[in-house]
Amino acid sequence: MTLGIVKRTEDDLTQWLATESGFISGLCQYDNEPVVLEPYQQSFLGNRSRFRWVAKSRQVGFSFLFALEALARCHLRDGHTAVFVSYNLSDAVEKVLIARQVYEELPLAYQKKLVTDAKTELAFESNSRGRRLSRIISVPAKPPRGKRGDVYLDELAHLVNDREVYTGSTALILRSHGQLTGGSTPLGRRGIFWEIDTQELRKYPHHARQLVPWWLCRFFSLDVSRAAVEAPRMSTEERVARFGRPVLTEQFDSLPQEDFQQEFECLLRRRVLQLPPLRAHPPVHHRRAADGPGRLRRARAPGPPGGGFRRGPHARPLRAGRIRRGGGPLHLQDAAQLRRCPLRGAGSPPPSTPVRPARGAPQR
């Protein structure tokens, strides 16, 4: 058996380092250890679609990968801008810290000059003519308007204003010919992330989707290559027992099965629809007025906030048995009296009999 040895030339090495995957694998270190990319991470880096959509398990390294890709593109391109939109401010700062640490461990020959070093922004000056700046900007959950470049929407399904963030981010990639990336662990059948990922409500034909459950990550799976083929046909208990490492088995034993499936297997939990809490209406105040032989209670508007009840005769709330007829809610004291004295419409003339003041009302 003859083994073929492929000798890579210097041009091949240069071309490989000019790609995001090659730059990260060949030059980047984290905690003094070389960065080793998973197959699904390499597939993500090679995806050139304008819209990349990733439904992923927890702790499979995509937030880390977003920071590495942004750092690599800032060094491989002049005038590049990467914008991170994170769940909160601490997550936004964390991505900049990762990029800052990996930058410090780059070989000096490949480092660009760091001219802005802040908690939520890094800027690198190009060595070429023109000294153009490449930037990494990280913001908490809000639409990143006024910028352009690549956009990373991390944990989009967990943002309260997810639809507003997505709508305000799509235009950033137009003039820059960048990419918009949405990556998140699912959170039930709700929100813009779920709509685009599943396409149950409408089609999103320009989004390239990627699914990354736990068994594709070597930190969780004993045999990634076999699990990629066999695990999708198994139940959750079977694949955890067959391919799960002890750290994953602990997670499976510590969570309800539906929560584990959503957090680590990208399966949507059957959520109960939660309605917003009912608003307590202000108390309604009333006065008694005579309308022909029958005496009716007519509602009055509440007083100013903090001022308590509006004063007036018979200021008490309505009870059951109300009829709405022209002048607001009415309380009927005696149904037999109503049959003898029908209610007037909104445009009816006043009764011929004089109005008798209510009991206790001041005489005029």
Side-chain angles (χ1 to χ4, degrees):
M1 181 177 179
T2 304
L3 295 177
I5 300 177
V6 179
K7 182 179 180 180
R8 294 188 178 272
T9 64
E10 184 177 351
D11 292 338
D12 294 336
L13 179 62
T14 303
Q15 292 177 6
W16 179 63
L17 292 177
T19 64
E20 291 88 348
S21 179
F23 186 93
I24 295 172
S25 301
L27 301 176
C28 293
Q29 293 186 2
Y30 188 74
D31 289 339
N32 295 321
E33 294 184 1
V35 176
V36 180
L37 296 174
E38 301 276 0
Y40 59 84
Q41 293 176 325
Q42 294 178 351
S43 176
F44 173 83
L45 293 174
N47 187 351
R48 299 303 176 188
S49 301
R50 296 293 298 276
F51 297 88
R52 299 180 294 186
W53 221 246
V54 183
K56 61 185 182 66
S57 163
R58 298 284 299 275
Q59 298 296 316
V60 292
F62 266 93
S63 297
F64 180 71
L65 184 64
F66 292 165
L68 291 181
E69 184 184 62
L71 180 67
R73 290 184 175 181
C74 284
H75 282 75
L76 296 174
R77 305 176 185 180
D78 290 340
H80 177 74
T81 301
V83 181
F84 296 118
V85 181
S86 302
Y87 180 73
N88 51 32
L89 181 59
S90 62
D91 286 348
V93 172
E94 184 67 22
K95 293 179 179 61
V96 175
L97 288 176
I98 292 174
R100 181 71 171 83
Q101 181 174 342
V102 176
Y103 167 80
E104 286 294 333
E105 300 185 27
L106 282 174
L108 294 178
Y110 293 91
Q111 282 186 355
K112 286 185 176 181
K113 183 180 178 181
L114 182 62
V115 294
T116 301
D117 188 4
K119 289 184 177 180
T120 58
E121 182 178 356
L122 299 175
F124 307 95
E125 187 178 65
S126 174
N127 298 325
S128 61
R129 186 177 180 180
R131 304 293 182 179
R132 300 182 62 188
L133 294 181
S134 296
R135 298 185 300 166
I136 297 176
I137 303 171
S138 189
V139 297
K142 61 181 181 180
R145 297 181 180 273
K147 304 175 181 64
R148 62 179 184 177
D150 290 341
V151 185
Y152 300 86
L153 308 179
D154 194 21
E155 296 297 349
L156 179 61
H158 298 263
L159 302 186
V160 177
N161 56 338
D162 56 343
R163 193 176 301 275
E164 179 184 355
V165 168
Y166 174 77
T167 303
S169 302
T170 55
L172 272 67
I173 66 174
L174 289 177
R175 292 182 177 272
S176 62
H177 303 287
Q179 291 178 294
L180 187 145
T181 302
S184 180
T185 303
L187 187 65
R189 300 178 181 275
R190 56 160 294 277
I192 189 64
F193 182 83
W194 165 76
E195 292 181 16
I196 296 177
D197 184 50
T198 62
Q199 302 186 95
E200 290 189 12
L201 301 183
R202 52 159 289 197
K203 297 296 183 180
Y204 291 86
H206 304 292
H207 292 68
R209 295 160 187 82
Q210 186 177 4
L211 178 66
V212 184
W214 65 264
W215 59 80
L216 298 182
C217 179
R218 56 186 173 87
F219 181 77
F220 294 136
S221 179
L222 294 170
D223 190 344
V224 173
S225 58
R226 289 190 60 186
V229 178
E230 300 177 12
R233 297 194 295 265
M234 297 180 176
S235 64
T236 299
E237 296 87 347
E238 292 174 342
R239 51 185 169 236
V240 169
R242 174 66 182 85
F243 298 108
R245 292 185 182 272
V247 291
L248 186 87
T249 305
E250 293 174 0
Q251 292 289 321
F252 179 72
D253 294 336
S254 303
L255 292 172
Q257 180 168 314
E258 285 191 353
D259 293 343
F260 177 85
Q261 290 174 339
Q262 179 169 269
E263 296 294 317
F264 292 94
E265 298 186 341
C266 306
L267 298 178
L268 296 176
R269 181 167 54 190
R270 296 185 295 273
R271 287 185 171 270
V272 178
L273 179 63
Q274 296 182 353
L275 297 177
L278 295 177
R279 296 183 59 186
H281 294 282
V284 182
H285 316 293
H286 313 276
R287 65 183 175 187
R288 187 184 297 263
D291 192 0
R295 302 203 311 179
L296 307 168
R297 240 173 246 154
R298 188 177 301 275
R300 294 182 58 187
F309 293 161
R310 291 183 70 175
R311 295 186 177 182
H314 304 281
R316 56 186 177 184
L318 287 174
R319 297 181 182 176
R322 296 181 300 178
I323 299 178
R324 183 179 298 276
R325 184 68 177 265
L330 301 174
H331 180 74
L332 188 61
Q333 274 204 324
D334 191 350
Q337 292 181 359
L338 178 65
R339 286 194 294 270
R340 293 194 299 269
C341 176
L343 294 177
R344 292 183 292 107
S348 301
S352 57
T353 58
V355 176
R356 182 175 57 188
R359 184 185 304 172
Q363 301 290 333
R364 295 186 179 179

